[in-house]
Amino acid sequence: LHAEFNALEVLQRYLLPKALHNISAAARAVHDANSSEPLASRLLHFAESVAEFTYYMFNGALYTRGSAAIAILSHHAMFLWLLRHEDDAS
């Protein structure tokens, strides 16, 4: 089973870029020392953003050998991104 071509176009052009932008914004919020929002709330928002992106990727990608591993590794890498050194913040 594969997603319809038009659905993949919407996913590629609109949903995945927006979801990736949300992850980036949520990661910046987690590292914002001046935020009045509790850290737990910011971490939850980041986790939900990663889950959204991963959901779209799992459901939109053509299933081939290794595709599940790629999705899981990207999910893992997004969480590891939060552990960057403070000198690497950008």
Side-chain angles (χ1 to χ4, degrees):
L1 287 157
H2 301 296
E4 181 182 312
F5 179 75
N6 291 335
L8 291 176
E9 283 291 312
V10 170
L11 187 67
Q12 182 180 2
R13 291 178 186 249
Y14 303 104
L15 296 175
L16 283 175
K18 178 67 174 164
L20 194 56
H21 172 78
N22 291 345
I23 290 170
S24 178
R28 285 191 304 274
V30 167
H31 287 283
D32 183 3
N34 299 319
S35 178
S36 61
E37 186 178 1
L39 179 59
S41 177
R42 291 180 279 156
L43 285 169
L44 177 61
H45 180 65
F46 177 81
E48 289 171 343
S49 298
V50 170
E52 176 188 25
F53 182 86
T54 304
Y55 173 82
Y56 288 141
M57 186 139 95
F58 261 119
N59 287 288
L62 296 175
Y63 185 81
T64 61
R65 183 173 180 219
S67 58
I70 291 167
I72 291 168
L73 286 171
S74 70
H75 179 267
H76 186 66
M78 289 178 204
F79 278 97
L80 288 176
W81 183 32
L82 288 180
L83 301 178
R84 68 182 188 257
H85 190 272
E86 64 185 40
D87 290 342
D88 295 334
S90 56

